[in-house]
Every structure is written in structure tokens, then in C-alpha cells.
Amino acid sequence: MINEKNLYSSFPPLEKALDEPNGLLAVGGDLSPQRLIEAYCKGIFPWFNEGEPIYWWSPDPRMVLFPAELKISRSLCKTLRKDHYQIRADTAFTQVMQACAAPRQGQSGTWIHPQMIAAYTALHEMGLAHSVETWIDGELVGGLYGVALGKVFFGESMFSRIADASKIAFVHLVKQLQYREFDLIDCQVKTRHLASLGAREISRVSFSRQLEMLINDIAIGSKWNFERMQLETSG
């Protein structure tokens, strides 16, 4: 049984998370920057619908991508070689979140509601949440956002308005994270889309150990300005 309570001091131990629904750990609290930072450092993230209390999750297993294991399909390689797009970082964070919140086929609603947008925008203003954006002819056509702590990037959501736009942003994100010596990307839960890019599942215990090694001091960050680099693609 999970009790709704004030979570300012700490979250329950991860082993208290439910098996069904997978990973539900706690209910209640708020989305202050301090709370979110504490949650991510422990491998916990919020996910709830508008009007509901805040649900906090730590699923087992956990979907992750080790940057060196990125897979780029032959068709995506061809797209990446083209010079028809521009990659930007942190120039349209709120727009990216709003685009990720847009209705999708087969979904009746979204968990990226105004309360979540406000909370992650606060992290963005602290230099801890970032967006990676794909632009074509001055139009935002795809992208993603997430939280960067230590040497871990916690991916939250992505969107595409044209084919492969989010994948383009994701590949550039991974290459930049390698350049910045990040060691892990959290993808939260398994999807075929993420698996196709090289993500795989590890146990919650293993994920927690990775965080302990890779997240030390939490310093106020800054907006990202990606280095221009040539992507190494094959196929």
C-alpha cells in the first residue's frame, strides 16, 4: 500500500516500488526543482495525468542507452548525410515540450500538461533541463527534451512532425553527450522505437548503481551550445 504523504525529506526505498503497476513508488508531494533533482538522482520520475495527484515511478527493468551502443539504421544514415536540416539546443525548450504534449494517434490525452511544463521549464532556467531541436527552413519539425545531471541524461519525451525528425535530434544528442563524456541515457521504459536505436533494459538495481557512480555534485548548469561536428555514419 502506498500512502500519499509529504515527500520533502526523502522518497521511500526503491525496493518498495510496486510490481503492478510496475514501478509505482509514491504519491503526492510537488514538482519543485529540489524535489525533481532528488527524484532523478535516485532513479525516480513523475508521471501523472492533469488533475491527478503526482505519481512517482521507478520501473524494473529500466530502459537505457549507453552512448557507445547507439544504432543508426541504413535509411537513417542517408537522412543524416543530407544538409537539409539544422540542429539547435535550448533555443525553444517550451515549444518542444508543447509539441511533445500534442495529441498522438492512439492516445486520448497527455501527461505533459501545464504543471509539468512549468516544472521542467524551471529546471531549464537552472541549466539542468535541455532541448535538442531539428529545424528545417526555420521551422521546428522535431526534437526532444530531458534532464542532465552529472554524467547522465534523463530523456523525457520526443516528437516528430516529419519522418525521422526526432531520430535526427536523438542521434545528435548522443554524439554530443559522448563529446561531453556522458556515460548513460535514461529512456525509462521499453519501446520498439528506442530499442531500434540501441537502447536496452537493465535491472533497477544496476540502474541505481550507475546513478551512484555517475552523479556526484549537482551544479547549476547553463544552456547548451552544441559543437559543430561531423557525424560518423555508415550504411
Side-chain angles (χ1 to χ4, degrees), residues 17-33:
L18 297 181
D19 294 329
E20 184 59 41
N22 180 16
L24 180 58
L25 178 66
V27 182
D30 58 38
L31 295 177
S32 66

Side-chain angles (χ1 to χ4, degrees), residues 35-105:
R35 176 98 60 182
L36 287 170
I37 291 168
E38 178 191 3
Y40 279 102
C41 286
K42 294 181 177 180
I44 303 164
F45 59 87
W47 183 57
F48 63 102
N49 294 318
E50 190 171 16
E52 294 179 342
I54 301 172
Y55 292 94
W56 300 91
W57 303 82
S58 182
D60 189 17
R62 190 78 166 222
M63 193 73 164
V64 302
L65 175 71
F66 296 95
E69 297 180 2
L70 174 68
K71 294 179 181 177
I72 304 176
S73 68
R74 184 173 297 178
S75 61
L76 183 55
C77 281
K78 293 178 180 178
T79 300
L80 289 166
R81 291 195 194 104
K82 298 176 182 178
D83 197 26
H84 68 298
Y85 64 86
Q86 180 184 20
I87 294 295
R88 303 178 191 172
D90 288 343
T91 69
F93 183 85
T94 300
Q95 285 178 258
V96 169
M97 284 201 71
Q98 291 170 339
C100 289
R104 305 187 188 195
Q105 187 174 1

